[in-house]
């Protein structure tokens, strides 16, 4: 028993001395829990869910209800609503459907709502909207769909009332409708009280007469009508279909959805899944290969090599190159496997995919070198690797879309290897972009590799690995 | 000829080498004898160009040595104190890598590898991973891996640590043969027996300083005594202690007495005295002075402290 206690205490002493172990045990899970919690809306502040997802809105309707809808969308924190673009002279002008389609193709943004001229059609009863998307990211698309529907449905009573008035006018004729409305307003005023003139104007404007003031998009009473706020919103798998949500509104609200980019891809989520996880394991492998530097140092191999005709630069260069080649091989194998499992359309996009993979492998290998360069011991290197790889994967969009994270994390995510690699993979496999299209992404990866590698080399020269 | 002139090396506040000046002639078998932490490996690493000296100079045949001068190092071979081998790879793969790094190719590489495997007595085990080797086998491979490029100056940093007596002898034979063939060797050790057996010149190093540097005989003559006689301390020997005292130094060491006669007191006088006292000559053990004694004399500590 005494021995057991002695050994037990020893394990704790060892554990506390190993800062890397402590970090992995406590800090890494905390960071991940925070990020996941944010994504799944668990945090207490009520500030949960994705924020600032770009949503282009083209309003072709002159109906005041359309403007209300746009304003409601602007008020929704999930969206960053874009309504204008710049003409060649740098002057802002309203977006057109053509602008939006081009931008969706280029992944400038991924969602657009078109409010057509016939928002409230002359024929029939109901309202009509068009939703265009480049759903390169399944989870994000589902969320956007949900929030969009919620906002539209919250505004439905006004729009619908107006539609009702319009069809009534068509059927009964203007003057008689006015008489009818006046009548209705009087009855309401008699029954419930209130100013009959105001009620009359309200009815004419499309209110049902009970609506007192402006419709509130976030009125909790309206939320109960809102089928999109419940989880499990159907995915936009149907590529050109009328969304069928909410029994009462199904037949009167027509949201025409159209997937603008990546139409030929069978599994929109697969590119991210395969790419994201491949990059994560690439980072693990790359830092594993470079922490082997510690083994070689401990074995005294550097003494043998450096006392001979080998330079430090050659030792590091060889390690880096090994990481790049191994990483490229790993990516090729994983993408081929992913293709066999999920049909990624690998062969059509082979060349750009190889180029992105090469850049991603270089960035991952450089990352591994940096870990080796800044870590005093192998244990520290392993701890740092676990911490950074898991956090970078979480915030870099390997597991879920970057747009789901707090704004400041979204900014940091652009500094990660994971973000640009996953961007590159989805650019190529999902959007089918060419080498020319992905140059910015390749540039970002190359720049990150160069910066990381420069820091690593600088650190190696003052670090302890060659001591 | 290797020369060190007031060479100093510090690690932070610790001075590992403290103004070392020495010259090693071509063909020397130079022993660097000192306890752990004396600065032996540090001196080796400076000569091998792994580190730069903080002050002073090192030169091989007049060419300065240092991390930047790779050319001058081509004729140097280092046998590191650690087993500097890729332990997951086979003996053959290891030798091929190190040979290729030294620019050996083709048939020349193969024949040097054969030679090295033969010297290390590993020809049979060439395809086995190094990690499956015994300590002695790994040490032998560690040594021959430094010989592939036929260095003229071989630095052996404690090459027999953790080695069985057989492998140790094989390594000794090998080094002596190389030395006879003209290779200059610097051999560091904390075993004085090794230095005594192998080295033509020996430097005694402690706390980064060379305390004495000479041939073995030259070093031993620095001791104020030449021989030492030990005998059990008991009633029968007690009788002679008084008569020995004026003629040398008497040290009581537990159950033993150790007597170091003055230079002018011959051993014959000692033995006629003990014979007269009726003591059997068998209880007396005569020791030649050793480097151990010298180290003790110079530092007040034993080599293995
Ligand atoms: N890389 C290093 N950093 C700091 N101190 C060191 C380093 N290498 C050796 N030392 C210290 O320098 C002294 C001499 O070490 P070393 O040359 O390895 O001795 P030896 O080989 O004779 O055992 C020792 O006190 C040792 O702790
Ligand atoms: Mg040493």
């Amino acid at each position: 028993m005494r021995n057991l206690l002695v050994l037990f205490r020893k394990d704790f002493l060892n554990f506390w001395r190993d800062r890397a172990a402590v970090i992995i045990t406590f800090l890494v899970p905390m960071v991940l829990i925070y990020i996941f919690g944010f994504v799944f809306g668990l945090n207490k502040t009520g500030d949960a869910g994705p924020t600032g997802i770009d949503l282009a809105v083209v309003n072709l309707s002159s109906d005041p209800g359309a403007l209300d809808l746009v304003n409601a969308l602007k008020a929704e924190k999930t969206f960053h609503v874009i309504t204008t673009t710049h003409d060649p002279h740098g002057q802002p002008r309203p977006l057109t459907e053509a602008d939006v389609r081009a931008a969706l193709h280029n992944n400038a943004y991924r969602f657009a709502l078109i409010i057509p001229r016939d928002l409230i059609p002359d024929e029939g009863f109901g309202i009509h909207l068009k939703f265009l998307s480049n759903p390169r990211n399944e989870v994000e698309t589902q969320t956007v769909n949900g929030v969009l529907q919620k906002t539209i449905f919250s505004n439905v009573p006004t729009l619908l009332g107006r539609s009702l008035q319009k069809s009534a006018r068509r059927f009964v004729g203007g003057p008689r409708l006015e008489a009818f409305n006046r009548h209705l307003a009087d009855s309401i005023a008699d029954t419930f009280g209130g100013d009959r003139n105001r009620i009359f104007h309200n009815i004419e404007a499309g209110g049902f007469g009970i609506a007192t003031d402006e419709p509130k998009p976030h009125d909790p009473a309206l939320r109960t009508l809102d089928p999109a706020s419940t989880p499990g919103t159907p995915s936009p798998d149907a590529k050109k279909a009328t969304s069928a949500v909410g029994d009462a509104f199904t037949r009167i609200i027509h949201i025409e959805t159209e997937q603008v980019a990546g139409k030929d891809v069978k599994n929109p989520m697969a590119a991210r899944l395969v790419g994201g996880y491949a990059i994560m394991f690439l980072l693990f492998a790359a830092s594993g290969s470079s922490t082997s530097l510690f083994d070689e140092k401990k074995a005294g191999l550097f003494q043998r090599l450096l006392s001979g005709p080998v330079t430090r630069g050659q030792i590091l260069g060889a390690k880096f190159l090994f990481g790049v080649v191994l990483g490229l091989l790993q990516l090729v194998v994983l993408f081929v496997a992913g293709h066999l499992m999920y049909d990624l359309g690998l062969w059509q996009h082979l060349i750009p995919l190889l180029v992105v993979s090469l850049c991603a492998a270089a960035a991952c290998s450089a990352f591994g070198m940096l870990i080796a360069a800044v870590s005093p011991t192998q244990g520290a290197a392993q701890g740092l690797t676990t911490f950074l790889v898991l956090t970078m994967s979480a915030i870099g969009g390997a597991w879920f879309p970057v747009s789901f994270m707090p704004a400041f994390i979204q900014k940091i995510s652009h500094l990660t290897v994971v973000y640009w690699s996953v961007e590159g993979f989805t650019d190529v496999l999902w959007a089918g972009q060419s080498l020319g299209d992905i140059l910015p992404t390749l540039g970002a990866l190359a720049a990150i590799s160069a910066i990381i590698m420069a820091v690593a080399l600088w650190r190696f020269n003052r670090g302890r690995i060659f001591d | 000829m290797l020369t060190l002139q007031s060479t100093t090396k510090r690690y932070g506040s610790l001075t590992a080498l403290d103004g070392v000046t020495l010259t090693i002639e071509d063909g020397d078998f130079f022993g660097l004898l000192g306890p752990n932490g004396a600065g032996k490996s540090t001196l080796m690493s400076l000569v091998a160009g792994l580190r730069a000296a903080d002050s002073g100079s090192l030169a091989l045949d007049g060419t300065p040595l240092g991390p930047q001068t790779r050319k001058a190092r081509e004729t140097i071979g280092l046998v590191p104190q650690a087993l500097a081998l890729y332990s997951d790879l086979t003996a053959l793969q290891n030798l091929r890598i190190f040979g290729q790094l030294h620019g050996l190719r083709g048939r020349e590489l193969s024949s040097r590898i054969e030679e090295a495997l033969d010297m290390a007595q590993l020809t049979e085990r060439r395809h086995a991973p190094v990690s499956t080797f015994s300590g002695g086998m790994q040490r032998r491979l560690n040594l021959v891996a430094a010989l592939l490029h036929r260095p003229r100056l071989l630095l052996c940093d404690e090459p027999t640590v953790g080695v069985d007596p057989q492998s140790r002898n094989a390594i000794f034979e090998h080094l002596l043969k190389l030395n006879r063939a003209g290779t200059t060797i610097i051999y560091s050790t904390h075993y004085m027996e090794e230095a005594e057996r192998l080295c033509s010149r020996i430097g005694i190093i402690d706390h980064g300083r060379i305390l004495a540097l000479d041939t073995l005989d030259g070093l031993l003559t620095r001791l104020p005594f030449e021989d030492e006689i030990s005998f059990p301390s008991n009633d029968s020997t007690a009788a002679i202690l008084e008569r020995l005292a004026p003629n040398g130094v008497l040290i009581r060491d537990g159950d033993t007495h150790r007597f170091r006669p003055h230079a002018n007191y011959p051993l014959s006088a000692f033995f006629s005295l003990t014979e007269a006292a009726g003591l059997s000559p068998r209880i007396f053990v005569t020791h030649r002075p050793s480097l151990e004694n010298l180290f003790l004399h110079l530092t007040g500590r034993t080599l293995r402290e």
Side-chain angles (χ1 to χ4, degrees), chain B residues 35-276:
Chain B
N36 278 329
K40 304 183 294 296
S41 296
T42 301
L43 193 149
M44 295 283 196
S45 71
L46 293 181
V47 177
L50 299 176
R51 298 191 173 96
D54 292 318
S55 63
S57 65
L58 298 93
L60 182 63
D61 297 328
T63 316
L65 290 175
Q68 310 309 327
T69 57
R70 272 194 293 155
K71 191 86 187 149
R73 274 188 272 138
E74 276 172 10
T75 56
I76 300 180
L78 172 68
V79 182
Q81 183 170 355
L83 287 165
L85 301 165
Y86 296 103
S87 59
D88 293 336
L89 304 185
T90 67
L92 188 63
Q93 287 167 330
N94 268 281
L95 291 175
R96 188 170 294 143
I97 290 167
F98 299 130
Q100 283 170 344
L101 288 175
H102 279 289
L104 298 171
R105 298 285 182 272
R107 211 173 294 157
E108 192 181 20
L109 176 63
S110 309
S111 73
R112 299 248 182 126
I113 288 176
E114 287 309 316
E115 198 179 303
L117 285 169
D118 185 48
M119 282 191 288
Q121 299 163 340
L122 288 171
T123 310
E124 315 273 272
R125 299 291 302 276
R126 60 170 67 193
H127 293 301
V130 171
S131 56
T132 66
F133 288 2
S134 72
M137 291 159 84
Q138 295 187 359
R139 280 284 161 205
R140 279 163 9 218
L141 187 61
N142 197 40
L143 170 63
V144 297
L147 299 174
L148 291 166
H149 62 297
R150 305 220 163 121
R152 279 181 41 235
L153 172 61
L154 184 66
L155 310 171
C156 298
D157 197 358
E158 308 210 28
T160 62
V161 171
V163 158
D164 55 292
Q166 237 166 328
S167 288
R168 180 184 295 228
N169 274 330
I171 289 174
F172 287 171
E173 289 312 317
H174 204 75
L175 291 176
L176 287 168
K177 203 164 118 196
L178 281 170
N179 182 241
R180 279 195 297 273
T183 309
T184 310
I185 296 176
I186 305 181
Y187 187 103
S188 85
T189 180
H190 62 269
Y191 297 118
M192 59 117 191
E193 303 87 349
E194 292 191 345
E196 286 178 354
R197 170 163 170 195
L198 295 170
C199 302
S200 52
R201 287 173 71 234
I202 295 166
I204 293 180
I205 183 170
D206 191 34
H207 292 313
R209 284 181 215 227
I210 301 281
L211 303 178
L213 194 159
D214 209 332
T215 60
L216 177 61
D217 290 339
L219 285 172
L220 292 180
T221 55
R222 297 183 184 206
L223 281 169
F225 57 90
E226 288 183 339
D227 299 295
E228 187 180 87
I229 305 155
S230 64
F231 50 91
S233 82
N234 52 34
D235 291 345
S236 48
T237 55
I240 60 168
L241 294 181
E242 208 169 303
R243 306 202 29 207
L244 285 176
N247 300 309
V249 183
L250 255 176
I251 303 160
R252 172 107 189 228
D253 192 359
D255 294 344
T256 343
H257 278 294
R258 291 192 280 141
F259 176 63
R260 291 171 188 166
H262 291 322
N264 56 4
Y265 186 71
L267 278 182
S268 53
F270 175 84
F271 281 110
S272 51
L273 174 79
T274 55
E275 212 178 326

Side-chain angles (χ1 to χ4, degrees), chain A residues 296 298-312 314 466-467, chain B residues 48 50-51 70 73 78 80-86 98 101-102 142 145-146:
Chain A
E296 295 179 10
K298 209 186 315 167
L301 276 158
F302 292 161
Q303 292 180 26
R304 185 184 296 287
L305 299 178
L306 294 172
S307 72
V310 178
T311 64
R312 293 175 174 202
Q314 288 166 343
F466 291 119
D467 210 21
Chain B
L50 299 176
R51 298 191 173 96
R70 272 194 293 155
R73 274 188 272 138
L78 172 68
Q81 183 170 355
L83 287 165
L85 301 165
Y86 296 103
F98 299 130
L101 288 175
H102 279 289
N142 197 40

Side-chain angles (χ1 to χ4, degrees), chain A residues 77-158:
Chain A
K77 73 173 171 47
T78 308
F79 299 123
H80 168 238
V81 172
I82 305 167
T83 54
T84 56
T85 183
H86 293 281
D87 65 13
H89 310 291
Q91 295 302 311
R93 63 165 174 80
L95 279 171
T96 66
E97 183 166 343
D99 294 334
V100 163
R101 283 181 181 275
L104 287 170
H105 268 290
N106 299 339
N107 193 31
Y109 37 77
R110 291 184 284 283
F111 306 99
L113 186 71
I114 313 273
I115 305 175
R117 197 157 286 125
D118 57 343
L119 166 71
I120 299 168
D122 292 334
E123 298 294 316
F125 168 66
I127 60 172
H128 176 213
L129 291 165
K130 202 146 99 182
F131 177 57
L132 304 181
S133 69
N134 172 359
R136 55 157 46 205
N137 187 320
E138 186 85 338
V139 191
E140 186 183 58
T141 307
Q142 283 184 19
T143 309
V144 167
N145 260 359
V147 180
L148 194 60
Q149 285 181 6
K150 182 187 86 180
T151 317
I152 294 169
F153 279 52
S154 306
N155 280 275
V156 150
T158 336

